[in-house]
Amino acid sequence: MGELVEYSPKEDVQSGDNIHHRCHPLHITWLSGFNPRVSLLNVSTTRERKELVLASGNTLLFYCYDGEREKIMPVVGHKNVVNMIGCDETGRFVVSSDCSYCINVWDRQVGGDNNHPPIAIRTIFEPFKANGEIGAVSLSRDGKYLLAGGGIPAEQGSQLKLWSWTVGNDFPDGSITLPSRLGRIKTIHFCPDRGRRNQFVVTLESGVVFGAWDSKEQKLSIQVPKRHGFQDYNDTVFVEHTDRAVSVTDAGMAVLWSNDRKFSDGTDGTVLRKEFLKYLHLKYASINVVRSCDEKIVTGDDDGEIRFYDNSMKILYWFKQEDLEPIRTLSFELVESRQWKSVTEPNDADDQAPKEESSEKKVELNIEDIAPKDVSFEARPVIVRGFVSATKSGKIYDIDIVYNKIQELFLQSPSIITAFDVHAARSELCTCDGNGRFVVYDLQTKSMRLALDVPIQRTRRGRITTLAYSPCGTFLAGGAENGFLWMVEPNLLILAGSSPLQFTSEKIRLVSFSEDSKHLVCVDESNTITLVARVKDDWQSVGRCVSHRLVDLAFLGATDFVSIGEDRYMVQYTINSDEMVQLEALSIVRRKRIEQSAFPTAFLVLPGGNQILVANDQLKFKIFHARTLEILHTFLAPFHDGPARYLRQLPGEDYFLFITNSNIYLHHLPIDGNPFKYLAVRGHPKRLKGLQVAWTVRSAFTFGEGDHAVSMWKINTSPLMDNIRHAGAGLDPFCTLLPGGKRGCYVREILSLFFYNQISPKNSDGDAELTLRDAMNVQDVPNYMRSIGFHMTEYEEQNLCKEMELTGTYFLTFEEVMKLFLNHRTAAGGPPNTEDIRTAVTYIGATTSSGEKVDLVRLITLLASMGEPMDPKTTEAYCRILFPSAFESNEQDEDPEPECGTAEDCTNCISIEEFADKLC
C-alpha cells in the first residue's frame, strides 16, 4: 500500500525554474535596483531575517537578507508602473497598485514555503473608471478591508472605495467622493489600535480627511477638519494608544489633530470627528514621512535627519546619516516591541510560563544599559524596534538605534539608468546612471562587484548615453552628451590613459568596437562617424566621415562595417590600417538604397556573415547580401506594438531577440514569415530603451524609460518550439493571417483567381488544349498579387522579381505565391480605403481649389512627373475606363485640347467621393 506524501511545489520544479518559465519564452529572474520614488515595505517578522517588498517598474521585488546572503524574488503582476505598496499587521498579505490599471493582493506564504514566489490571490481591475488614476491603497491592520483612493481630482474630486476583499465582491462595498479643493491623494493609513481598526486617515495635497467604515450598516463616512492655512501635506498617521493624529508638511510643520471636545467619547474608541489641536514648526526643511511606533513618533526629512518624539511631540532623540540624503521611507519591523521594564514589575498581559518570562526579561534587561538616552532630565533610554529607511538617491539602510547598528541593504539605485552593456565572455553586467556612476555586477552571484564615479558635468549635458564592451573584454567605452568618450578598464574599473577623449562637442549616440578590439567607431548627433584606434597604450582619433543620419551600425569583420540610416540607405565602410598606403583611414565603399517609403529601425548580421537582416517601421524584415547589399528576401515581422528594434542573436543557436515599444520577442531562425515562429512577453509598462544578450548566463537584459534598474530575463526556447510544432505545416500557419483562415471564402477566391490566370486569353494558344497545374509563371505573379489586394509600387515589384529570380525557377506553386503575397503585402493586410485615397489626391494637389473635386487632367499630368512616373496614355486609358462620363462631352465637341482643371464645372472634374469609391 502506497504512502501518502504531502505535495511540495519544489519537487515538481527544477532548481531555478518555475511554472511561469515553462510557459513563457522569457522570465524575469533579477533586477539590479528598485524605484526609490515608491515607498518600500518592511515585512520582517524576526530580528534575524530582513524581508522587504520593493517596486521596480511594473515588478514587485520580494527581498530577503539573512545576514549572509541577499535573495531577490521578482514578480510581475501589473500592466503599468507600481506606485503604492501596503500590508496587514502580520505581513502575510501585501497589496500593490499601479497607476490606473489594477490593484493586486499577494499572499507571501503560499504553501508555507518562503522559497515559493508569492501569488496574487485577488485582483481588482480598473477600480476608477474613465481613466481615473489610482492614488493610494491600504490594507486594514486585520487584513479584512482594502481601501483605495484615486480618480480625477481636478474635475470631480478624488474618490475613496472600500472592498471586503476576502469575500470576492467585484463592486466596492462603500464609495465616497472627496472635495475637489483638497487635490490629489498621497497616502492612506488605517488606525492600528484595537477597536478602532476601521478608522483611517487620508492625506491629500491640501488637506487631511478622517474616515471610518461601519461594518454593521455597511456605510463609509468621512470628516474633513476645518482649514487652518496649511498646504503641501506629505503624510499623516494615527498616534498609537491616543486619540490624536499627526500630519507633516513640506514647510517642516507638524500638525496635530485630536477628538473634538464637544463630542463625548464613544465606546471602544469609535470617535470619528477630529479637529485641529496645534501645530509645531519642527524644521526648515521638508518633512517627508511620519510614523508612530512603540509609543514614539518618528519623522524623516530632506536634511537626512530622523527624529524621535513622544506622543506629546516632545523631542527625545535624533540622528543623521553620513551621506545626509533626503529620507523618503521609514518602515518598522512587524515584531513585538522590546520590553525594557525591570523584572520586579508585573506584566499581566504576558501569557507565557513564569520560567520563560523571567529568562526572557533577563536578556531584555540589558537593553536599558546599551540604548541611547533621550534629552529629557530623566535621561530615559530610547527603545524602539528596528526599522528600514530609504533615501531619495535609492539607498536602503537597516537601522537599530538600540544597538547602534546601521547596515546598507540591497543594490543602490541612485539615478535613472542611461546605458548598459554585458561582457562578451564573462558573466558581467555594467550599468551607468544619470550621475555618471559605473557599476559592475557579477551575474552569477547577483551582486555588485565594482563601482566608479565619473566626474561628469551635469550642467553641460555630461550624462553618459551609450556603453560598449570590446569583444576581448579588456576595454569599456562610454559616450557622453557633451562629446566626451570615457575609456574604462573593466577588470579594475579605473579610467584608462588620458580619458576622457573629446573629438566632438555633440552628443555621442553610438559606440561600437571592431571584432579585433583594435578600433572603435563613434557616432555623434551631427551624423559624424569617428574612427578611434588604439595607439600604444592610448586611444586616438584617426579618421572621420559623414554619410547619413545613422540608425544602427555593425561590423562585418575586423576592418569592414555597415550602417543603415534615416535616408533609407545602407552604407558599407572600410578601415585602412596600412600606414604604407596613402589612403584615408576611414572610407565609404558602397551605398545602396534599401527602402522606398519605410524607415529602417535596426539590423543584424546573420550567422555566417553573408546576410544582413534589416527591420523597418512598416513591420517588415528584409534580408540583404552583406557584400553586394542586394535584396534577397522580404518577410512579415511581428505586427503588434510597433517596429522591431535592437536585434540581438543568441550566440551559437538559431534564435534572435528584439524589442518593440513594450514587448520582448524571441524569434526562431531561419525567418520565413511564419507568425508562429516568435513569442513575446511584456517587458515594460512605458517604453523599452535597450536590449543585450549574455550567452554565459543565457539571459536577456533590458531597461526602459524612467527605470532605476536593469532587468534580467531567463531565456527558454521550449515554448517557442512547441508553438511551431503545433502550428501545422505548409500554408496552415500562414493562412491564419487571412480572414476566415485556410477554409475561408477569401482563400477560395484567391485560389480561383490563381487558376483563372492560366486560362486567361494571354496564356491561351488558339484552340490548343489547356492544362491546369499548380504553378504560375513568375512574370504573372505581380499582376496576380494586384488582383488579390496588394497594390505594389514599381520599386516593390522590382524587389519581388529579384527575390523570385533567386528561386532558380520560372514557375511558382500556389503555396510559394501565397507566402510571397503575405510577406510582401502591407502589414494592415488590405488595400487602401476611401480616406487614404482622399488624403493622397489632396496631398499631391490633384484637386480643384475648393478641394471637393478631382481634376483628372491635372492628375494625369502629376502622375507622369511625380514619384514613379506613369505613361500618360496608360493613365488616360485607365481614367476613361473608370470614369467614362468625364470624357463624353469632350469627345462630342471634338476638342483635342480641352481647357480642363480650371473651372469648378469642368467636364473632366469629378467629385472626390466618386473618385475614391471607384478606386476602392
Side-chain angles (χ1 to χ4, degrees):
M1 185 174 180
E3 181 182 1
L4 295 176
V5 180
E6 185 180 357
Y7 170 74
S8 175
K10 293 188 296 184
E11 294 178 0
D12 293 342
V13 182
Q14 298 179 358
S15 177
D17 197 4
N18 54 53
I19 189 64
H20 299 287
H21 195 34
R22 295 180 184 180
C23 307
H24 295 165
L26 297 108
H27 175 69
I28 190 166
T29 57
W30 177 71
L31 288 96
S32 65
F34 71 104
N35 185 2
R37 295 186 295 271
V38 180
S39 298
L40 59 86
L41 200 62
N42 187 358
V43 291
S44 306
T45 55
T46 63
R47 299 187 181 97
E48 293 77 19
R49 182 185 177 95
K50 299 298 177 184
E51 296 180 78
L52 308 178
V53 184
L54 310 100
S56 179
N58 62 337
T59 306
L60 281 183
L61 305 180
F62 292 87
Y63 167 85
C64 178
Y65 176 67
D66 58 3
E68 296 181 358
R69 293 181 301 175
E70 290 181 325
K71 181 180 179 181
I72 305 169
M73 193 177 298
V75 179
V76 179
H78 290 273
K79 182 179 179 180
N80 293 329
V81 176
V82 176
N83 63 348
M84 187 67 68
I85 311 172
C87 70
D88 64 341
E89 63 180 356
T90 65
R92 174 179 179 179
F93 299 110
V94 174
V95 60
S96 62
S97 67
D98 55 34
C99 300
S100 60
Y101 188 66
C102 72
I103 301 172
N104 284 332
V105 180
W106 305 83
D107 188 355
R108 296 178 52 245
Q109 299 179 8
V110 180
D113 186 4
N114 290 324
N115 293 324
H116 197 278
I119 62 173
I121 58 176
R122 182 68 198 278
T123 300
I124 300 174
F125 293 101
E126 297 182 351
F128 303 97
K129 304 296 182 180
N131 299 324
E133 294 186 356
I134 305 173
V137 293
S138 181
L139 276 178
S140 61
R141 300 300 293 267
D142 54 9
K144 292 182 180 180
Y145 303 108
L146 168 63
L147 183 64
I152 308 177
E155 298 179 3
Q156 55 192 13
S158 300
Q159 286 184 315
L160 292 177
K161 294 186 178 183
L162 184 138
W163 289 266
S164 298
W165 68 272
T166 56
V167 179
N169 295 332
D170 293 333
F171 297 96
D173 296 270
S175 177
I176 198 167
T177 302
L178 304 179
S180 58
R181 61 179 174 82
L182 299 180
R184 179 178 57 89
I185 294 178
K186 289 189 174 182
T187 62
I188 299 175
H189 293 293
F190 277 89
C191 183
D193 295 339
R194 293 186 180 274
R196 297 195 301 162
R197 293 192 170 181
N198 290 359
Q199 296 186 16
F200 57 86
V201 58
V202 183
T203 306
L204 299 98
E205 291 177 329
S206 302
V208 177
V209 174
F210 294 92
W213 168 252
D214 192 336
S215 58
K216 293 182 180 180
E217 298 186 5
Q218 296 288 298
K219 182 181 179 182
L220 190 66
S221 58
I222 61 170
Q223 181 250 335
V224 182
K226 295 180 181 179
R227 303 179 66 182
H228 291 276
F230 301 109
Q231 296 289 330
D232 300 325
Y233 288 90
N234 287 330
D235 200 3
T236 306
V237 293
F238 288 98
V239 181
E240 293 181 339
H241 311 303
T242 68
D243 60 353
R244 294 182 178 180
V246 179
S247 301
V248 292
T249 69
D250 271 346
M253 310 288 291
V255 183
L256 273 67
W257 315 91
S258 183
N259 289 351
D260 195 340
R261 297 179 181 179
K262 294 183 294 183
F263 291 84
S264 60
D265 292 341
T267 59
D268 300 329
T270 57
V271 173
L272 172 62
R273 188 173 181 85
K274 285 206 167 19
E275 295 296 337
F276 170 77
L277 180 62
K278 62 179 179 179
Y279 73 90
L280 300 171
H281 196 172
L282 306 180
K283 296 279 297 185
Y284 284 101
S286 173
I287 303 177
N288 303 312
V289 59
V290 59
R291 292 291 181 268
S292 177
C293 183
D294 296 341
E295 300 182 357
K296 295 174 182 61
I297 299 173
V298 189
T299 63
D301 52 52
D302 270 353
D303 286 341
E305 187 176 43
I306 300 176
R307 291 190 174 188
F308 296 83
Y309 302 87
D310 64 6
N311 288 345
S312 300
M313 291 302 295
K314 295 179 181 179
I315 186 70
L316 298 178
Y317 184 73
W318 65 89
F319 74 92
K320 288 187 177 182
Q321 300 177 6
E322 295 181 359
D323 48 18
L324 298 180
E325 294 180 357
I327 305 296
R328 287 290 181 264
T329 302
L330 292 175
S331 187
F332 287 83
E333 298 173 348
L334 302 179
V335 297
E336 296 181 358
S337 58
R338 292 166 171 147
Q339 301 295 326
W340 55 272
K341 296 181 179 180
S342 61
V343 181
T344 58
E345 296 185 14
N347 190 358
D348 298 335
D350 197 351
D351 297 331
Q352 295 182 354
K355 184 176 181 180
E356 296 179 357
E357 179 181 331
S358 60
S359 62
E360 182 180 355
K361 288 187 176 181
K362 286 180 181 178
V363 177
E364 295 179 347
L365 187 64
N366 297 328
I367 296 179
E368 232 181 293
D369 301 328
I370 62 176
K373 303 301 186 291
D374 62 25
V375 294
S376 64
F377 290 107
E378 294 83 6
R380 294 169 59 87
V382 181
I383 299 177
V384 68
R385 70 186 68 182
F387 62 95
V388 171
S389 71
T391 65
K392 181 181 179 181
S393 64
K395 295 182 180 180
I396 304 176
Y397 295 95
D398 177 29
I399 302 174
D400 192 337
I401 65 170
V402 174
Y403 294 97
N404 194 23
K405 292 182 179 179
I406 300 179
Q407 182 180 8
E408 188 172 354
L409 298 177
F410 195 53
L411 305 175
Q412 299 180 7
S413 305
S415 183
I416 294 175
I417 299 295
T418 58
F420 81 101
D421 198 13
V422 293
H423 200 283
R426 295 197 303 263
S427 300
E428 185 175 293
L429 165 72
C430 182
T431 66
C432 189
D433 59 30
N435 294 330
R437 183 177 177 84
F438 286 82
V439 181
V440 174
Y441 299 96
D442 188 341
L443 298 178
Q444 296 293 346
T445 60
K446 309 292 192 305
S447 60
M448 183 176 67
R449 192 169 63 86
L450 295 170
L452 171 66
D453 291 317
V454 175
I456 66 172
Q457 302 173 12
R458 302 181 189 178
T459 58
R460 296 180 57 190
R461 303 176 295 111
R463 293 183 304 174
I464 294 174
T465 56
T466 178
L467 278 180
Y469 272 101
S470 63
C472 64
T474 56
F475 307 109
L476 177 65
E481 286 181 328
N482 54 7
F484 283 9
L485 180 65
W486 298 90
M487 301 302 299
V488 180
E489 295 182 2
N491 296 329
L492 301 175
L493 209 62
I494 59 175
L495 297 179
S498 59
S499 182
L501 305 176
Q502 187 174 21
F503 40 80
T504 178
S505 59
E506 300 290 336
K507 171 185 174 182
I508 297 180
R509 298 191 292 116
L510 191 146
V511 172
S512 181
F513 282 90
S514 62
E515 292 184 355
D516 57 3
S517 302
K518 294 182 179 179
H519 297 89
L520 175 67
V521 174
C522 302
V523 183
D524 60 29
E525 196 68 28
S526 63
N527 306 321
T528 301
I529 302 175
T530 304
L531 178 65
V532 181
R534 184 166 177 81
V535 180
K536 295 182 180 180
D537 294 333
D538 205 352
W539 294 85
Q540 297 179 4
S541 174
V542 296
R544 306 182 76 182
C545 73
V546 179
S547 57
H548 55 177
R549 175 67 180 177
L550 191 142
V551 173
D552 202 358
L553 179 147
F555 274 85
L556 300 177
T559 59
D560 297 318
F561 63 94
V562 176
S563 71
I564 56 174
E566 293 182 1
D567 59 349
R568 304 184 179 96
Y569 275 83
M570 182 182 292
V571 182
Q572 185 177 355
Y573 312 81
T574 186
I575 300 173
N576 179 30
S577 57
D578 190 356
E579 298 179 356
M580 302 300 295
V581 181
Q582 298 298 323
L583 295 176
E584 294 290 338
L586 179 63
S587 58
I588 297 176
V589 177
R590 188 178 291 104
R591 289 172 57 91
K592 180 74 175 180
R593 183 169 184 174
I594 60 174
E595 297 289 353
Q596 184 182 30
S597 59
F599 292 97
T601 57
F603 78 101
L604 171 69
V605 180
L606 294 177
N610 295 323
Q611 295 181 345
I612 299 175
L613 175 65
V614 180
N616 63 30
D617 64 345
Q618 293 184 356
L619 309 181
K620 298 293 182 183
F621 282 135
K622 293 187 177 181
I623 297 180
F624 298 87
H625 195 277
R627 300 301 173 183
T628 63
L629 307 186
E630 294 290 338
I631 190 169
L632 302 179
H633 300 285
T634 300
F635 299 113
L636 178 65
F639 43 89
H640 299 290
D641 194 40
R645 299 178 292 122
Y646 291 94
L647 309 182
R648 298 291 184 267
Q649 188 190 356
L650 192 59
E653 301 187 39
D654 294 331
Y655 300 93
F656 72 98
L657 293 96
F658 59 92
I659 60 174
T660 54
N661 290 336
S662 299
N663 298 329
I664 310 172
Y665 282 82
L666 177 65
H667 202 302
H668 183 259
L669 290 173
I671 301 177
D672 57 5
N674 186 346
F676 292 88
K677 273 198 169 184
Y678 53 82
L679 287 177
V681 296
R682 185 173 178 83
H684 199 267
K686 293 183 179 179
R687 178 178 172 83
L688 289 166
K689 299 183 66 176
L691 170 70
Q692 295 294 343
V693 176
W695 176 77
T696 54
V697 290
R698 195 179 171 81
S699 298
F701 297 84
T702 62
F703 82 103
E705 181 181 344
D707 281 355
H708 290 252
V710 173
S711 303
M712 178 178 178
W713 303 81
K714 196 72 175 178
I715 300 173
N716 182 21
T717 59
S718 299
L720 180 56
M721 297 307 298
D722 293 339
N723 198 44
I724 298 173
R725 191 179 303 112
H726 293 93
L731 280 177
D732 290 350
F734 292 87
C735 286
T736 58
L737 300 171
L738 297 175
K742 186 177 181 180
R743 293 175 176 81
C745 59
Y746 187 76
V747 174
R748 293 198 301 268
E749 180 70 19
I750 61 179
L751 182 61
S752 300
L753 291 174
F754 180 84
F755 289 107
Y756 175 77
N757 180 78
Q758 300 182 36
I759 61 175
S760 61
K762 66 182 181 64
N763 289 330
S764 62
D765 187 11
D767 297 332
E769 183 179 357
L770 292 175
T771 302
L772 296 179
R773 57 179 178 176
D774 186 15
M776 176 182 286
N777 194 312
V778 293
Q779 296 178 355
D780 299 331
V781 171
N783 287 332
Y784 169 71
M785 288 190 180
R786 290 188 176 99
S787 68
I788 61 177
F790 174 43
H791 304 280
M792 67 184 75
T793 63
E794 295 296 327
Y795 181 84
E796 291 171 337
E797 182 178 348
Q798 293 175 7
N799 288 344
L800 176 63
C801 293
K802 289 180 182 178
E803 294 181 33
M804 290 189 294
E805 288 178 6
L806 297 176
T807 60
T809 180
Y810 294 102
F811 294 91
L812 298 178
T813 64
F814 178 72
E815 179 179 333
E816 293 171 334
V817 174
M818 280 303 302
K819 290 182 179 179
L820 285 174
F821 167 69
L822 293 173
N823 285 322
H824 280 261
R825 70 170 184 167
T826 58
N833 54 32
T834 304
E835 189 62 31
D836 295 334
I837 296 175
R838 290 170 58 94
T839 303
V841 295
T842 304
Y843 180 78
I844 65 175
T847 57
T848 57
S849 58
S850 63
E852 297 179 356
K853 292 186 177 182
V854 178
D855 188 345
L856 296 181
V857 174
R858 184 184 301 175
L859 177 64
I860 294 172
T861 304
L862 291 173
L863 294 180
S865 59
M866 295 178 62
E868 295 178 343
M870 294 182 64
D871 184 14
K873 294 183 179 180
T874 304
T875 309
E876 182 181 356
Y878 289 151
C879 290
R880 289 180 179 275
I881 295 174
L882 292 172
F883 315 105
S885 60
F887 296 88
E888 289 178 354
S889 59
N890 288 330
E891 291 176 354
Q892 293 177 359
D893 298 340
E894 295 181 358
D895 187 1
E897 296 180 355
E899 297 179 0
C900 301
T902 59
E904 296 293 332
D905 57 349
C906 179
T907 55
N908 289 116
C909 295
I910 62 172
S911 65
I912 194 170
E913 290 80 6
E914 180 185 355
F915 181 82
D917 291 340
K918 279 283 187 177
L919 292 185
C920 289

